[in-house]
């Protein structure tokens, strides 16, 4: 019975056993490196070579037992080697991420958004998908750390954790940019992928978190008017396309500068670089050709009351009725000035989110104070209050309530998009045991089920509460339902003097242009502001001051192109980005398959002494090619 394959050396014709090994076929060297002839190896060394090579690749001794022991140290060593090899590129990616954060308020250096996009494109150009993902994370995590540092009032662990979660989306962006960087017209596909990344991050997880969109860094740039055509996604696309085109221009200039001979500096190369630069300039200037409608059908005179809070931070509420009394007193003072003829009487008054810190339906003392202020000023007041849910025990609703001087509390709007871990706790029973800080949120907010179109005196306003201004669909649906102006009731007292109120205010500027509507931001502690339909901030308050803004609010009925097309541009651009990634992946797979099919022929030729032996796995060749291209670029 046979016990296995015969491993005995073959006999020579004379009956003796041969112990010599056949010389190995020479391997081809990379371009520009001469290949040394391979030396014959003794048979003993040849027999042990596979085991030694396996041990070297897995970074464990050959006699290690089990796949887990073989893989785990190898992965750690490969990760450490990747970190050592990529540290310069990683550092540049991190600096680019910080530069992008500086494009946002309170710094407002919007040109840095173009620089950051271009830098990331160049750092990832020609890399493998895994290398691109690494650079994407190195870019995204520092970006969100700087952008969201206002969250440190909750805890720096919250800043680090949320920044890392958001950075994972940029990790995917980096992988996609690397895949598509080898395609023709790669700047276009890269710009689409920026929209794809924001599309996903705006929706996942728990309804998404839209902070940090390129459009929000460009609310006072030449790109801003494009919002009237395609909303925030079109602004993001234009900014990203300009940045990637600038990257293509810089890459062409670098190659021309490093060209070894003048013959390589062809007219076509110059046309390519200048064409990319010209297209970048055209995209930048395109916004000036977009009409921004501002003509009002009629107007309403408004007053915006900022009552202020006693202290910033997590404990801004103070004792019960304190914030409510602040807004009541400021409104009573306004009523007195009107009575004395120092101030024209407004048509309506707007209070911010949480301006009543007690449920006015449950606590009569709160309802009585609101009623006193409303009757004194003699016009409807839009009040912000937390109200117990009428049927679901333990839930609360974040509402804007129209309070009439004769009829009292009337129509209301309930916030549709509560903030996860701020206004409700997902998986409360499980997470609150691990993260005890979540127990500070005793009740979950219940979402509303309709838009906030409210008839407030002579004006049909669209109420949007706090972070809802960051989500495209809520302001858009509100305008399409008939809102003639938008009101953003907000309470930023927790994040006062951190830069967060400025970041939220620029969203109101973008929404004004996007929908052709005036936007009123009413905040408990600041920043309250009146924004014209062209995005101009006509009035604003300082933080942590009691103040009242009065002015004329334009009311409009016409819809912009962005309102009419809705989310279609975002979907279209995002899908193009996904298809570009899929196409690049399939193309790369086909090329790898072709190389793998050619490998057996090459190996056979090498065995006959007529060709070269294969140079390793197809994946290794791909990595070497990407690294070589990255060094040249």
């Amino acid at each position: 019975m046979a016990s296995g394959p015969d491993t005995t050396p073959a006999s020579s014709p004379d009956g003796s056993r041969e112990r010599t090994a056949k010389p190995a076929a020479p391997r081809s060297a990379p371009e520009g490196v001469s290949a040394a002839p391979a030396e014959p190896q003794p048979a003993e060394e040849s027999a042990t070579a596979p085991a030694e090579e396996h041990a070297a690749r897995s970074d464990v001794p050959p006699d290690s037992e089990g796949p887990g022991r073989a893989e785990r140290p190898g992965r750690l060593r490969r990760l450490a080697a990747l970190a050592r090899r990529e540290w310069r590129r990683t550092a540049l990616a991190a600096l680019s991420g910080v530069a992008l954060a500086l494009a946002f308020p309170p710094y407002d250096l919007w040109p840095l958004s173009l620089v950051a996009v271009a830098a990331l494109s160049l750092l990832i150009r020609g890399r493998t998908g895994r290398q691109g993902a690494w650079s994407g994370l190195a870019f995204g995590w520092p970006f969100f750390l700087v952008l969201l540092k206002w969250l440190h009032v909750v805890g720096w662990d919250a800043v680090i954790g949320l920044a890392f979660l958001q950075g994972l989306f940029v990790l995917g962006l980096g992988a996609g940019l690397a895949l598509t960087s080898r395609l023709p017209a790669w700047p276009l596909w890269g710009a689409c992928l920026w929209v794809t990344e924001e599309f996903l991050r705006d929706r996942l997880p728990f309804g998404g978190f839209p902070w940090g969109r390129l459009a929000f860094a460009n609310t006072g740039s030449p790109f801003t008017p494009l919002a009237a055509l395609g909303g925030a996604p079109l602004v993001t696309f234009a900014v990203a396309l300009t940045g990637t085109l600038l990257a293509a221009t810089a890459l062409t200039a670098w190659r021309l500068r490093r060209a070894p001979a003048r013959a390589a500096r062809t007219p076509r190369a110059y046309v390519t670089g200048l064409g990319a630069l010209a297209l970048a300039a055209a995209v930048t200037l395109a916004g000036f050709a977009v009409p921004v409608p501002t003509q009002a059908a009629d107007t309403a005179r408004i007053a915006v009351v900022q009552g202020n809070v006693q202290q910033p931070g997590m404990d801004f509420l103070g004792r019960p009725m304190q914030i409510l009394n602040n807004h009541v007193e400021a409104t009573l003072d306004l009523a007195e000035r009107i009575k004395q003829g120092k101030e024209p009487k407004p048509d309506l008054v707007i209070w911010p989110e949480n301006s009543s810190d007690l449920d006015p339906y449950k606590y009569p003392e709160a309802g009585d104070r609101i009623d006193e202020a409303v009757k004194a000023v003699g016009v409807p007041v839009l009040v912000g209050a937390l109200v117990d849910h009428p049927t679901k025990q333990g839930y609360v609703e974040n509402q804007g309530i129209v309070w009439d001087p004769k009829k009292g509390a009337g129509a209301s709007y309930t916030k549709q998009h509560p903030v996860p871990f701020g206004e409700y706790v997902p998986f409360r029973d499980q997470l609150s045991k691990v993260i005890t800080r979540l127990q500070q949120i005793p009740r979950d907010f219940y979402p509303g089920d309709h838009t906030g179109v409210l008839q407030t005196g002579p004006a049909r306003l669209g109420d949007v509460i706090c972070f809802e201004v960051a989500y495209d669909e809520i302001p858009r649906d509100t305008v399409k339902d008939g809102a003639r102006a938008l009101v953003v009731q907000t309470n930023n007292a927790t994040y006062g003097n951190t830069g967060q109120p400025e970041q939220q205010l620029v969203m109101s500027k973008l929404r004004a242009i996007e929908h052709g509507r005036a936007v009123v931001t009413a905040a408990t502690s600041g920043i309250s502001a009146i924004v014209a339909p062209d995005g101009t901030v006509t009035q604003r308050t300082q933080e942590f001051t009691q103040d009242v803004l009065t002015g004329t609010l334009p009311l409009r009925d016409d819809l912009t192109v962005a309102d009419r097309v809705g989310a279609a541009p975002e979907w279209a651009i995002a899908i193009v980005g996904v298809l570009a990634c899929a196409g690049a992946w399939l193309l790369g797979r086909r090329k790898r398959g072709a190389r793998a099919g050619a490998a057996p022929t090459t190996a056979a030729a090498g065995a006959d002494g007529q060709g070269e032996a294969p140079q390793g796995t197809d994946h290794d060749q791909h990595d070497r090619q990407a690294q070589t291209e990255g060094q040249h670029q």
Side-chain angles (χ1 to χ4, degrees):
M1 182 176 67
S3 60
D6 186 8
T7 57
T8 308
S11 300
S12 63
D14 61 358
S16 62
R17 306 283 187 180
E18 290 190 5
R19 303 287 294 176
T20 58
K22 191 172 184 177
R27 295 189 177 187
S28 61
E31 183 180 352
V33 181
S34 60
E39 297 182 1
Q41 291 182 336
E44 294 80 4
E45 293 181 16
S46 178
T48 59
E52 292 177 354
E53 182 180 359
H54 174 75
R57 289 187 178 183
S58 61
D59 295 320
V60 294
D63 57 349
S64 296
E65 298 179 1
R69 296 185 182 182
E71 293 177 2
R72 194 174 297 112
R75 288 176 180 173
L76 292 176
R77 291 189 181 186
R78 286 196 296 271
L79 183 61
L82 175 66
R84 288 194 299 270
R85 187 172 65 248
E86 296 288 316
W87 74 267
R88 291 183 180 87
R89 195 179 297 264
T90 301
L92 289 174
L95 288 175
S96 301
V98 173
L100 180 57
L102 298 181
F104 290 79
Y107 314 103
D108 287 318
L109 303 175
W110 68 263
L112 288 180
S113 61
L114 304 177
V115 175
V117 171
L120 183 63
S121 300
L122 291 173
L123 289 170
I124 292 179
R125 167 87 171 144
R127 311 291 284 174
T128 65
R130 283 179 292 182
Q131 292 168 336
W134 175 271
S135 296
L137 181 62
F139 177 96
W141 199 0
F143 163 56
F144 284 108
L145 279 174
V146 177
L147 181 74
L148 304 177
K149 64 182 178 61
W150 46 264
L151 199 59
H152 76 272
V153 298
V154 178
W156 279 104
D157 56 339
V159 179
I160 295 170
L162 182 58
F164 180 76
L165 177 63
Q166 298 298 296
L168 292 178
F169 290 93
V170 188
L171 178 150
L173 170 64
L177 291 175
L179 285 174
T180 57
S181 66
R182 290 183 172 84
L183 295 177
W186 60 269
L188 175 62
W189 316 131
C192 291
L193 284 173
W194 276 92
V195 178
T196 306
E197 180 268 335
E198 291 185 0
F199 176 92
L200 296 173
R201 190 162 54 81
D202 294 353
R203 292 162 173 82
L204 301 171
F206 308 118
F209 186 66
W211 235 260
R213 301 168 71 176
L214 291 179
F216 295 153
N218 285 270
T219 61
S221 75
F223 301 99
T224 314
L226 295 172
L229 296 181
L234 184 59
V235 177
T236 287
F237 174 75
V239 173
L241 181 59
T242 303
T244 54
L245 287 170
L246 291 176
T249 303
L251 185 63
T252 302
W254 176 258
R255 286 173 174 172
L256 290 171
R257 182 175 180 272
R258 296 293 298 269
R262 180 170 296 181
R265 301 171 185 172
T266 62
R268 181 179 179 181
Y270 284 101
V271 169
T272 300
L274 293 176
L277 182 60
L279 186 55
V283 174
T284 303
L285 299 176
F288 292 112
V290 177
V292 178
T294 59
Q295 186 174 2
D298 54 359
T299 61
R301 185 161 185 84
I302 64 169
V304 184
V305 176
Q306 178 176 298
N308 202 12
V309 299
Q310 268 52 52
Q311 55 188 358
M314 294 292 291
D315 300 320
F316 69 91
L317 284 173
R319 67 178 186 274
M321 295 283 292
Q322 196 167 37
I323 295 177
L324 174 57
N325 285 330
N326 287 350
H327 288 83
V328 169
E329 295 301 328
T331 305
L332 292 176
D333 183 66
L334 172 64
E336 183 63 26
R337 295 202 309 273
I338 294 172
K339 184 178 179 180
Q340 296 175 359
K342 298 179 180 180
E343 189 78 50
K345 184 176 182 178
D347 297 312
L348 58 99
V349 176
I350 299 172
W351 286 8
E353 177 190 24
N354 300 151
S355 48
S356 177
D357 46 10
L358 291 178
D359 182 350
Y361 300 115
K362 184 176 180 179
Y363 297 95
E365 59 271 30
D368 292 343
R369 285 292 279 166
I370 296 173
D371 204 52
E372 177 186 359
V374 174
K375 288 181 178 178
V377 77
V379 296
V381 177
L382 181 61
V383 178
L386 298 182
V387 177
D388 289 346
H389 195 282
T391 59
K392 294 187 176 294
Q393 187 71 23
Y395 285 92
V396 65
E397 295 178 323
N398 192 351
Q399 287 191 349
I401 307 168
V402 178
W403 208 287
D404 188 83
K406 296 180 180 179
K407 301 177 182 178
S412 65
Y413 164 69
T414 300
K415 186 177 183 180
Q416 301 174 71
H417 201 302
V419 178
F421 302 103
E423 295 176 326
Y424 77 97
V425 180
F427 310 110
R428 175 183 288 274
D429 293 340
Q430 295 78 18
L431 292 179
S432 59
K433 296 176 182 178
V434 180
I435 309 174
T436 57
R437 191 184 310 155
L438 296 177
Q439 297 173 6
Q440 298 179 16
I441 308 172
R443 297 187 297 171
D444 289 338
F445 284 33
Y446 199 84
D449 57 3
H450 59 81
T451 60
V453 179
L454 301 171
Q455 189 68 40
T456 309
R460 190 167 64 249
L461 303 179
D463 193 13
V464 175
I465 297 180
C466 202
F467 281 19
E468 288 185 328
V469 71
Y471 297 89
D472 292 341
E473 65 277 6
I474 293 179
R476 180 175 60 238
D477 292 345
T478 304
V479 169
K480 294 179 73 173
D481 278 353
R484 307 184 73 197
L486 290 173
V487 173
V488 181
Q489 292 182 293
T490 186
N491 175 15
N492 294 325
T494 301
Y495 309 113
N497 294 327
T498 64
Q500 187 270 353
E502 287 93 340
Q503 292 178 8
Q504 187 172 325
L505 178 60
V506 297
M507 299 176 192
S508 295
K509 294 175 60 178
L510 186 73
R511 298 306 180 198
I513 296 175
E514 179 179 1
H515 304 296
R517 296 292 189 272
V519 180
V520 178
T521 298
T524 51
S525 58
I527 303 169
S528 300
I530 301 175
V531 183
D534 63 354
T536 304
V537 179
T538 59
Q539 295 186 61
R540 56 164 289 173
T541 66
Q542 299 299 316
E543 290 189 69
F544 296 106
T545 58
Q546 188 175 98
D547 203 349
V548 177
L549 301 178
T550 59
T552 300
L553 186 69
L555 303 176
R556 300 189 72 255
D557 297 301
D558 293 341
L559 297 179
T560 63
V561 175
D563 290 323
R564 298 179 190 278
V565 300
E570 182 182 27
W571 278 90
I573 297 171
I575 289 174
V576 169
V578 172
L579 292 177
C581 276
W585 182 79
L586 290 174
L587 184 61
R589 181 173 181 141
R590 182 180 301 175
K591 289 182 178 179
R592 290 192 295 271
R595 288 197 300 266
T601 304
T602 307
D608 293 337
Q610 299 175 357
E612 295 179 347
Q615 299 182 26
T617 65
D618 189 64
H619 177 72
D620 293 337
Q621 294 178 18
H622 183 63
D623 282 351
R624 283 195 296 272
Q625 178 185 359
Q627 292 172 10
T628 302
E629 292 182 8
Q631 291 170 358
H632 286 308
Q633 295 167 7

